[in-house]
Amino acid sequence: MTSTPLILNKVLVPKEFNKVASSYDFATKMSQGYQDDLDTSAQRMELKGNEKLLDLCCGTGKSTLACLKQLPNGYIIGVDNSEGMLKEAKHKFAEEINSGKICFLLQDAMNLDFPDNSFDAVFMAYGLRNMPDYQESIRGIYRILKPNGKLCIHDYSLSKNIFTKAYWFILGYGFIVPLCTFLSRSSKIYTYLIKSVLTFLSPNEIKFLLINNGFESVLVQSHASWRKPILYSIIGTKRT
Ligand SMILES: C[S@@+](CC[C@H](N)C(=O)[O-])C[C@H]1O[C@@H](n2cnc3c(N)ncnc32)[C@H](O)[C@@H]1O
């Protein structure tokens, strides 16, 4: 499950996110449906509203906002290892941080510093793909989830279908890289995005990664419009 060719890049990923942190929200605004898709995945977790949730690889907090909408009485910890992305998130959620509803921590998602069984839910949007070892990452998440806790993986993923790969290739190199490079003045992280999706697990492989590591009731759901063939919510529950 380790994707060796990208490992070096993956170590450098947070540094590259630091470079684009201040333009990240603007770049994602250009990606029609970005926030709606996050909202949909968070809704699909069917939370009660009072859970303690970990937003893993929270970035500038777009995924945190999606989770916040589902948790009127809950508590969210956002974790990321890019100081620049966290700075943006902390700025946006200053009020919620002051009221004790949200907290942001600088941590490596591969080495989570939380006790066993400490979260009701984990939301990981556009995060798993950046992990140097997918299996280790899922094991770490499983450890900190409470029994019956829910995990949602929200990410770009391509089925083993040549047309889906061609679609992503054209979308990536034809639109995403040129546009985001223009907006952020940095092409490295966006070129990495395209390559990392091409070498990532298929939706079915993510499903079995979860099942093989102790999750049950795993459901794979796609998203609307032009993201239908490439974006998925994969949700599972930790065994009791
Ligand atoms: C594409 S952004 C997604 C941000 C947010 N979840 C969203 O939906 O907008 C991916 C984030 O993963 C973070 N990241 C990458 N590798 C990480 C690691 N090993 N530990 C923690 N965060 C990591 C990056 O710094 C970046 O902020």
Side-chain angles (χ1 to χ4, degrees), residues 201-230:
L201 305 175
S202 69
N204 230 19
E205 285 172 332
I206 301 174
K207 176 180 173 176
F208 283 102
L209 177 68
L210 265 54
I211 291 172
N212 294 337
N213 286 284
F215 287 90
E216 55 188 17
S217 312
V218 180
L219 202 61
V220 178
Q221 291 165 282
S222 63
H223 285 258
S225 71
W226 62 272
R227 282 100 59 207
K228 195 169 174 56
I230 52 171

PDB file of all heavy atoms in Angstrom, residues 201-230:
ATOM      1  N   LEU A 201      -5.356   4.999  -4.732  1.00  0.00           N
ATOM      2  CA  LEU A 201      -6.216   3.817  -4.748  1.00  0.00           C
ATOM      3  C   LEU A 201      -7.536   4.121  -5.466  1.00  0.00           C
ATOM      4  O   LEU A 201      -7.990   5.269  -5.473  1.00  0.00           O
ATOM      5  CB  LEU A 201      -6.537   3.403  -3.307  1.00  0.00           C
ATOM      6  CG  LEU A 201      -5.339   3.168  -2.377  1.00  0.00           C
ATOM      7  CD1 LEU A 201      -5.811   2.895  -0.955  1.00  0.00           C
ATOM      8  CD2 LEU A 201      -4.508   1.999  -2.892  1.00  0.00           C
ATOM      9  N   SER A 202      -8.144   3.080  -6.020  1.00  0.00           N
ATOM     10  CA  SER A 202      -9.479   3.236  -6.622  1.00  0.00           C
ATOM     11  C   SER A 202     -10.509   3.275  -5.481  1.00  0.00           C
ATOM     12  O   SER A 202     -10.204   2.872  -4.352  1.00  0.00           O
ATOM     13  CB  SER A 202      -9.764   2.055  -7.553  1.00  0.00           C
ATOM     14  OG  SER A 202      -9.916   0.885  -6.766  1.00  0.00           O
ATOM     15  N   PRO A 203     -11.742   3.719  -5.770  1.00  0.00           N
ATOM     16  CA  PRO A 203     -12.762   3.748  -4.709  1.00  0.00           C
ATOM     17  C   PRO A 203     -12.945   2.375  -4.048  1.00  0.00           C
ATOM     18  O   PRO A 203     -13.061   2.276  -2.819  1.00  0.00           O
ATOM     19  CB  PRO A 203     -14.039   4.175  -5.451  1.00  0.00           C
ATOM     20  CG  PRO A 203     -13.561   4.873  -6.679  1.00  0.00           C
ATOM     21  CD  PRO A 203     -12.244   4.283  -7.039  1.00  0.00           C
ATOM     22  N   ASN A 204     -12.931   1.333  -4.859  1.00  0.00           N
ATOM     23  CA  ASN A 204     -13.095  -0.014  -4.317  1.00  0.00           C
ATOM     24  C   ASN A 204     -11.919  -0.436  -3.438  1.00  0.00           C
ATOM     25  O   ASN A 204     -12.089  -1.113  -2.430  1.00  0.00           O
ATOM     26  CB  ASN A 204     -13.250  -0.992  -5.484  1.00  0.00           C
ATOM     27  CG  ASN A 204     -14.437  -1.873  -5.269  1.00  0.00           C
ATOM     28  OD1 ASN A 204     -15.326  -1.543  -4.477  1.00  0.00           O
ATOM     29  ND2 ASN A 204     -14.463  -3.012  -5.959  1.00  0.00           N
ATOM     30  N   GLU A 205     -10.725  -0.030  -3.838  1.00  0.00           N
ATOM     31  CA  GLU A 205      -9.532  -0.347  -3.019  1.00  0.00           C
ATOM     32  C   GLU A 205      -9.591   0.382  -1.669  1.00  0.00           C
ATOM     33  O   GLU A 205      -9.167  -0.164  -0.648  1.00  0.00           O
ATOM     34  CB  GLU A 205      -8.255   0.029  -3.775  1.00  0.00           C
ATOM     35  CG  GLU A 205      -7.916  -0.953  -4.880  1.00  0.00           C
ATOM     36  CD  GLU A 205      -6.759  -0.496  -5.779  1.00  0.00           C
ATOM     37  OE1 GLU A 205      -6.556   0.736  -5.931  1.00  0.00           O
ATOM     38  OE2 GLU A 205      -6.096  -1.371  -6.354  1.00  0.00           O
ATOM     39  N   ILE A 206     -10.110   1.605  -1.681  1.00  0.00           N
ATOM     40  CA  ILE A 206     -10.243   2.334  -0.400  1.00  0.00           C
ATOM     41  C   ILE A 206     -11.260   1.605   0.481  1.00  0.00           C
ATOM     42  O   ILE A 206     -11.052   1.417   1.677  1.00  0.00           O
ATOM     43  CB  ILE A 206     -10.680   3.803  -0.628  1.00  0.00           C
ATOM     44  CG1 ILE A 206      -9.668   4.539  -1.507  1.00  0.00           C
ATOM     45  CG2 ILE A 206     -10.822   4.527   0.719  1.00  0.00           C
ATOM     46  CD1 ILE A 206     -10.068   5.947  -1.926  1.00  0.00           C
ATOM     47  N   LYS A 207     -12.341   1.167  -0.158  1.00  0.00           N
ATOM     48  CA  LYS A 207     -13.364   0.425   0.586  1.00  0.00           C
ATOM     49  C   LYS A 207     -12.729  -0.792   1.284  1.00  0.00           C
ATOM     50  O   LYS A 207     -12.933  -1.016   2.478  1.00  0.00           O
ATOM     51  CB  LYS A 207     -14.464  -0.032  -0.387  1.00  0.00           C
ATOM     52  CG  LYS A 207     -15.521  -0.893   0.227  1.00  0.00           C
ATOM     53  CD  LYS A 207     -16.566  -1.290  -0.802  1.00  0.00           C
ATOM     54  CE  LYS A 207     -17.526  -2.296  -0.196  1.00  0.00           C
ATOM     55  NZ  LYS A 207     -18.612  -2.645  -1.092  1.00  0.00           N
ATOM     56  N   PHE A 208     -11.936  -1.561   0.540  1.00  0.00           N
ATOM     57  CA  PHE A 208     -11.352  -2.765   1.132  1.00  0.00           C
ATOM     58  C   PHE A 208     -10.219  -2.446   2.108  1.00  0.00           C
ATOM     59  O   PHE A 208      -9.989  -3.195   3.056  1.00  0.00           O
ATOM     60  CB  PHE A 208     -10.958  -3.771   0.040  1.00  0.00           C
ATOM     61  CG  PHE A 208     -12.186  -4.467  -0.464  1.00  0.00           C
ATOM     62  CD1 PHE A 208     -12.765  -4.106  -1.675  1.00  0.00           C
ATOM     63  CD2 PHE A 208     -12.823  -5.428   0.317  1.00  0.00           C
ATOM     64  CE1 PHE A 208     -13.946  -4.701  -2.109  1.00  0.00           C
ATOM     65  CE2 PHE A 208     -14.009  -6.020  -0.111  1.00  0.00           C
ATOM     66  CZ  PHE A 208     -14.566  -5.662  -1.332  1.00  0.00           C
ATOM     67  N   LEU A 209      -9.560  -1.317   1.909  1.00  0.00           N
ATOM     68  CA  LEU A 209      -8.558  -0.871   2.891  1.00  0.00           C
ATOM     69  C   LEU A 209      -9.252  -0.669   4.246  1.00  0.00           C
ATOM     70  O   LEU A 209      -8.734  -1.077   5.296  1.00  0.00           O
ATOM     71  CB  LEU A 209      -7.937   0.443   2.409  1.00  0.00           C
ATOM     72  CG  LEU A 209      -6.909   1.102   3.329  1.00  0.00           C
ATOM     73  CD1 LEU A 209      -5.640   0.271   3.416  1.00  0.00           C
ATOM     74  CD2 LEU A 209      -6.571   2.509   2.834  1.00  0.00           C
ATOM     75  N   LEU A 210     -10.415  -0.070   4.214  1.00  0.00           N
ATOM     76  CA  LEU A 210     -11.162   0.158   5.459  1.00  0.00           C
ATOM     77  C   LEU A 210     -11.648  -1.174   6.044  1.00  0.00           C
ATOM     78  O   LEU A 210     -11.459  -1.444   7.230  1.00  0.00           O
ATOM     79  CB  LEU A 210     -12.355   1.100   5.204  1.00  0.00           C
ATOM     80  CG  LEU A 210     -12.124   2.582   5.486  1.00  0.00           C
ATOM     81  CD1 LEU A 210     -10.929   3.145   4.755  1.00  0.00           C
ATOM     82  CD2 LEU A 210     -13.360   3.413   5.160  1.00  0.00           C
ATOM     83  N   ILE A 211     -12.243  -2.009   5.202  1.00  0.00           N
ATOM     84  CA  ILE A 211     -12.780  -3.285   5.690  1.00  0.00           C
ATOM     85  C   ILE A 211     -11.657  -4.141   6.269  1.00  0.00           C
ATOM     86  O   ILE A 211     -11.783  -4.708   7.357  1.00  0.00           O
ATOM     87  CB  ILE A 211     -13.514  -4.028   4.541  1.00  0.00           C
ATOM     88  CG1 ILE A 211     -14.791  -3.278   4.178  1.00  0.00           C
ATOM     89  CG2 ILE A 211     -13.823  -5.480   4.929  1.00  0.00           C
ATOM     90  CD1 ILE A 211     -15.511  -3.783   2.938  1.00  0.00           C
ATOM     91  N   ASN A 212     -10.506  -4.191   5.583  1.00  0.00           N
ATOM     92  CA  ASN A 212      -9.395  -5.030   6.040  1.00  0.00           C
ATOM     93  C   ASN A 212      -8.758  -4.510   7.319  1.00  0.00           C
ATOM     94  O   ASN A 212      -7.962  -5.194   7.947  1.00  0.00           O
ATOM     95  CB  ASN A 212      -8.323  -5.157   4.953  1.00  0.00           C
ATOM     96  CG  ASN A 212      -8.851  -5.919   3.756  1.00  0.00           C
ATOM     97  OD1 ASN A 212      -9.803  -6.693   3.887  1.00  0.00           O
ATOM     98  ND2 ASN A 212      -8.260  -5.701   2.585  1.00  0.00           N
ATOM     99  N   ASN A 213      -9.093  -3.282   7.674  1.00  0.00           N
ATOM    100  CA  ASN A 213      -8.523  -2.719   8.896  1.00  0.00           C
ATOM    101  C   ASN A 213      -9.580  -2.491   9.969  1.00  0.00           C
ATOM    102  O   ASN A 213      -9.416  -1.646  10.843  1.00  0.00           O
ATOM    103  CB  ASN A 213      -7.749  -1.438   8.572  1.00  0.00           C
ATOM    104  CG  ASN A 213      -6.431  -1.779   7.892  1.00  0.00           C
ATOM    105  OD1 ASN A 213      -5.493  -2.209   8.549  1.00  0.00           O
ATOM    106  ND2 ASN A 213      -6.388  -1.642   6.575  1.00  0.00           N
ATOM    107  N   GLY A 214     -10.667  -3.238   9.882  1.00  0.00           N
ATOM    108  CA  GLY A 214     -11.604  -3.302  11.002  1.00  0.00           C
ATOM    109  C   GLY A 214     -12.866  -2.464  10.874  1.00  0.00           C
ATOM    110  O   GLY A 214     -13.672  -2.431  11.800  1.00  0.00           O
ATOM    111  N   PHE A 215     -13.065  -1.794   9.735  1.00  0.00           N
ATOM    112  CA  PHE A 215     -14.288  -1.006   9.586  1.00  0.00           C
ATOM    113  C   PHE A 215     -15.393  -1.875   8.978  1.00  0.00           C
ATOM    114  O   PHE A 215     -15.115  -2.803   8.213  1.00  0.00           O
ATOM    115  CB  PHE A 215     -14.037   0.213   8.687  1.00  0.00           C
ATOM    116  CG  PHE A 215     -13.226   1.281   9.377  1.00  0.00           C
ATOM    117  CD1 PHE A 215     -11.836   1.273   9.306  1.00  0.00           C
ATOM    118  CD2 PHE A 215     -13.848   2.285  10.115  1.00  0.00           C
ATOM    119  CE1 PHE A 215     -11.079   2.248   9.956  1.00  0.00           C
ATOM    120  CE2 PHE A 215     -13.101   3.261  10.767  1.00  0.00           C
ATOM    121  CZ  PHE A 215     -11.706   3.241  10.685  1.00  0.00           C
ATOM    122  N   GLU A 216     -16.617  -1.550   9.333  1.00  0.00           N
ATOM    123  CA  GLU A 216     -17.750  -2.282   8.745  1.00  0.00           C
ATOM    124  C   GLU A 216     -18.773  -1.295   8.184  1.00  0.00           C
ATOM    125  O   GLU A 216     -18.635  -0.087   8.364  1.00  0.00           O
ATOM    126  CB  GLU A 216     -18.379  -3.232   9.769  1.00  0.00           C
ATOM    127  CG  GLU A 216     -18.802  -2.564  11.032  1.00  0.00           C
ATOM    128  CD  GLU A 216     -19.248  -3.550  12.114  1.00  0.00           C
ATOM    129  OE1 GLU A 216     -18.941  -4.752  12.025  1.00  0.00           O
ATOM    130  OE2 GLU A 216     -19.917  -3.094  13.040  1.00  0.00           O
ATOM    131  N   SER A 217     -19.776  -1.836   7.516  1.00  0.00           N
ATOM    132  CA  SER A 217     -20.824  -1.013   6.865  1.00  0.00           C
ATOM    133  C   SER A 217     -20.200   0.049   5.974  1.00  0.00           C
ATOM    134  O   SER A 217     -20.610   1.223   6.002  1.00  0.00           O
ATOM    135  CB  SER A 217     -21.727  -0.325   7.897  1.00  0.00           C
ATOM    136  OG  SER A 217     -22.159  -1.220   8.856  1.00  0.00           O
ATOM    137  N   VAL A 218     -19.178  -0.323   5.201  1.00  0.00           N
ATOM    138  CA  VAL A 218     -18.464   0.682   4.392  1.00  0.00           C
ATOM    139  C   VAL A 218     -19.262   0.984   3.116  1.00  0.00           C
ATOM    140  O   VAL A 218     -19.616   0.076   2.358  1.00  0.00           O
ATOM    141  CB  VAL A 218     -17.041   0.201   4.034  1.00  0.00           C
ATOM    142  CG1 VAL A 218     -16.323   1.267   3.204  1.00  0.00           C
ATOM    143  CG2 VAL A 218     -16.243  -0.090   5.311  1.00  0.00           C
ATOM    144  N   LEU A 219     -19.511   2.256   2.920  1.00  0.00           N
ATOM    145  CA  LEU A 219     -20.333   2.706   1.793  1.00  0.00           C
ATOM    146  C   LEU A 219     -19.524   3.647   0.915  1.00  0.00           C
ATOM    147  O   LEU A 219     -18.883   4.581   1.416  1.00  0.00           O
ATOM    148  CB  LEU A 219     -21.547   3.452   2.374  1.00  0.00           C
ATOM    149  CG  LEU A 219     -22.767   3.579   1.503  1.00  0.00           C
ATOM    150  CD1 LEU A 219     -23.326   2.215   1.139  1.00  0.00           C
ATOM    151  CD2 LEU A 219     -23.838   4.406   2.247  1.00  0.00           C
ATOM    152  N   VAL A 220     -19.565   3.412  -0.408  1.00  0.00           N
ATOM    153  CA  VAL A 220     -18.859   4.276  -1.365  1.00  0.00           C
ATOM    154  C   VAL A 220     -19.913   5.070  -2.129  1.00  0.00           C
ATOM    155  O   VAL A 220     -20.797   4.487  -2.748  1.00  0.00           O
ATOM    156  CB  VAL A 220     -18.040   3.422  -2.365  1.00  0.00           C
ATOM    157  CG1 VAL A 220     -17.343   4.311  -3.399  1.00  0.00           C
ATOM    158  CG2 VAL A 220     -17.028   2.553  -1.631  1.00  0.00           C
ATOM    159  N   GLN A 221     -19.804   6.405  -2.089  1.00  0.00           N
ATOM    160  CA  GLN A 221     -20.783   7.250  -2.802  1.00  0.00           C
ATOM    161  C   GLN A 221     -20.060   8.310  -3.619  1.00  0.00           C
ATOM    162  O   GLN A 221     -19.088   8.905  -3.153  1.00  0.00           O
ATOM    163  CB  GLN A 221     -21.710   7.946  -1.786  1.00  0.00           C
ATOM    164  CG  GLN A 221     -22.654   7.002  -1.071  1.00  0.00           C
ATOM    165  CD  GLN A 221     -23.274   7.654   0.154  1.00  0.00           C
ATOM    166  OE1 GLN A 221     -22.645   7.764   1.195  1.00  0.00           O
ATOM    167  NE2 GLN A 221     -24.504   8.085   0.030  1.00  0.00           N
ATOM    168  N   SER A 222     -20.561   8.539  -4.828  1.00  0.00           N
ATOM    169  CA  SER A 222     -19.917   9.554  -5.671  1.00  0.00           C
ATOM    170  C   SER A 222     -20.623  10.905  -5.492  1.00  0.00           C
ATOM    171  O   SER A 222     -21.577  11.021  -4.736  1.00  0.00           O
ATOM    172  CB  SER A 222     -19.939   9.114  -7.132  1.00  0.00           C
ATOM    173  OG  SER A 222     -21.268   9.009  -7.556  1.00  0.00           O
ATOM    174  N   HIS A 223     -20.123  11.905  -6.201  1.00  0.00           N
ATOM    175  CA  HIS A 223     -20.666  13.266  -6.065  1.00  0.00           C
ATOM    176  C   HIS A 223     -21.309  13.723  -7.379  1.00  0.00           C
ATOM    177  O   HIS A 223     -21.324  12.987  -8.361  1.00  0.00           O
ATOM    178  CB  HIS A 223     -19.562  14.218  -5.605  1.00  0.00           C
ATOM    179  CG  HIS A 223     -19.250  14.032  -4.153  1.00  0.00           C
ATOM    180  ND1 HIS A 223     -19.701  14.873  -3.173  1.00  0.00           N
ATOM    181  CD2 HIS A 223     -18.560  13.055  -3.505  1.00  0.00           C
ATOM    182  CE1 HIS A 223     -19.296  14.433  -1.987  1.00  0.00           C
ATOM    183  NE2 HIS A 223     -18.595  13.333  -2.165  1.00  0.00           N
ATOM    184  N   ALA A 224     -21.763  14.989  -7.360  1.00  0.00           N
ATOM    185  CA  ALA A 224     -22.569  15.459  -8.488  1.00  0.00           C
ATOM    186  C   ALA A 224     -21.740  15.989  -9.656  1.00  0.00           C
ATOM    187  O   ALA A 224     -20.543  16.215  -9.529  1.00  0.00           O
ATOM    188  CB  ALA A 224     -23.500  16.568  -7.989  1.00  0.00           C
ATOM    189  N   SER A 225     -22.391  16.189 -10.745  1.00  0.00           N
ATOM    190  CA  SER A 225     -21.921  16.844 -11.986  1.00  0.00           C
ATOM    191  C   SER A 225     -20.545  16.370 -12.476  1.00  0.00           C
ATOM    192  O   SER A 225     -20.273  15.178 -12.502  1.00  0.00           O
ATOM    193  CB  SER A 225     -21.998  18.369 -11.837  1.00  0.00           C
ATOM    194  OG  SER A 225     -21.019  18.841 -10.961  1.00  0.00           O
ATOM    195  N   TRP A 226     -19.637  17.314 -12.816  1.00  0.00           N
ATOM    196  CA  TRP A 226     -18.377  16.923 -13.457  1.00  0.00           C
ATOM    197  C   TRP A 226     -17.467  16.132 -12.516  1.00  0.00           C
ATOM    198  O   TRP A 226     -16.524  15.492 -12.953  1.00  0.00           O
ATOM    199  CB  TRP A 226     -17.648  18.166 -13.988  1.00  0.00           C
ATOM    200  CG  TRP A 226     -17.259  19.167 -12.929  1.00  0.00           C
ATOM    201  CD1 TRP A 226     -18.026  20.192 -12.457  1.00  0.00           C
ATOM    202  CD2 TRP A 226     -16.025  19.232 -12.205  1.00  0.00           C
ATOM    203  NE1 TRP A 226     -17.349  20.892 -11.482  1.00  0.00           N
ATOM    204  CE2 TRP A 226     -16.117  20.328 -11.307  1.00  0.00           C
ATOM    205  CE3 TRP A 226     -14.842  18.473 -12.213  1.00  0.00           C
ATOM    206  CZ2 TRP A 226     -15.080  20.680 -10.440  1.00  0.00           C
ATOM    207  CZ3 TRP A 226     -13.812  18.829 -11.352  1.00  0.00           C
ATOM    208  CH2 TRP A 226     -13.942  19.920 -10.475  1.00  0.00           C
ATOM    209  N   ARG A 227     -17.771  16.146 -11.193  1.00  0.00           N
ATOM    210  CA  ARG A 227     -16.935  15.374 -10.245  1.00  0.00           C
ATOM    211  C   ARG A 227     -17.404  13.920 -10.130  1.00  0.00           C
ATOM    212  O   ARG A 227     -16.764  13.124  -9.456  1.00  0.00           O
ATOM    213  CB  ARG A 227     -16.968  16.026  -8.859  1.00  0.00           C
ATOM    214  CG  ARG A 227     -16.097  17.254  -8.719  1.00  0.00           C
ATOM    215  CD  ARG A 227     -16.883  18.523  -8.838  1.00  0.00           C
ATOM    216  NE  ARG A 227     -17.928  18.675  -7.862  1.00  0.00           N
ATOM    217  CZ  ARG A 227     -19.047  19.393  -8.047  1.00  0.00           C
ATOM    218  NH1 ARG A 227     -19.261  19.997  -9.186  1.00  0.00           N
ATOM    219  NH2 ARG A 227     -19.944  19.499  -7.099  1.00  0.00           N
ATOM    220  N   LYS A 228     -18.529  13.591 -10.750  1.00  0.00           N
ATOM    221  CA  LYS A 228     -19.118  12.260 -10.559  1.00  0.00           C
ATOM    222  C   LYS A 228     -18.110  11.113 -10.756  1.00  0.00           C
ATOM    223  O   LYS A 228     -18.032  10.204  -9.939  1.00  0.00           O
ATOM    224  CB  LYS A 228     -20.340  12.083 -11.471  1.00  0.00           C
ATOM    225  CG  LYS A 228     -21.198  10.898 -11.084  1.00  0.00           C
ATOM    226  CD  LYS A 228     -22.517  10.912 -11.812  1.00  0.00           C
ATOM    227  CE  LYS A 228     -23.325   9.670 -11.547  1.00  0.00           C
ATOM    228  NZ  LYS A 228     -23.578   9.405 -10.133  1.00  0.00           N
ATOM    229  N   PRO A 229     -17.304  11.143 -11.843  1.00  0.00           N
ATOM    230  CA  PRO A 229     -16.406   9.985 -12.039  1.00  0.00           C
ATOM    231  C   PRO A 229     -15.133  10.026 -11.185  1.00  0.00           C
ATOM    232  O   PRO A 229     -14.345   9.081 -11.215  1.00  0.00           O
ATOM    233  CB  PRO A 229     -16.009  10.099 -13.527  1.00  0.00           C
ATOM    234  CG  PRO A 229     -16.692  11.296 -14.073  1.00  0.00           C
ATOM    235  CD  PRO A 229     -17.225  12.107 -12.956  1.00  0.00           C
ATOM    236  N   ILE A 230     -14.919  11.121 -10.437  1.00  0.00           N
ATOM    237  CA  ILE A 230     -13.587  11.269  -9.811  1.00  0.00           C
ATOM    238  C   ILE A 230     -13.587  11.585  -8.312  1.00  0.00           C
ATOM    239  O   ILE A 230     -12.537  11.563  -7.686  1.00  0.00           O
ATOM    240  CB  ILE A 230     -12.777  12.396 -10.520  1.00  0.00           C
ATOM    241  CG1 ILE A 230     -13.602  13.690 -10.584  1.00  0.00           C
ATOM    242  CG2 ILE A 230     -12.309  11.972 -11.909  1.00  0.00           C
ATOM    243  CD1 ILE A 230     -12.822  14.901 -11.065  1.00  0.00           C
TER     244      ILE A 230
END
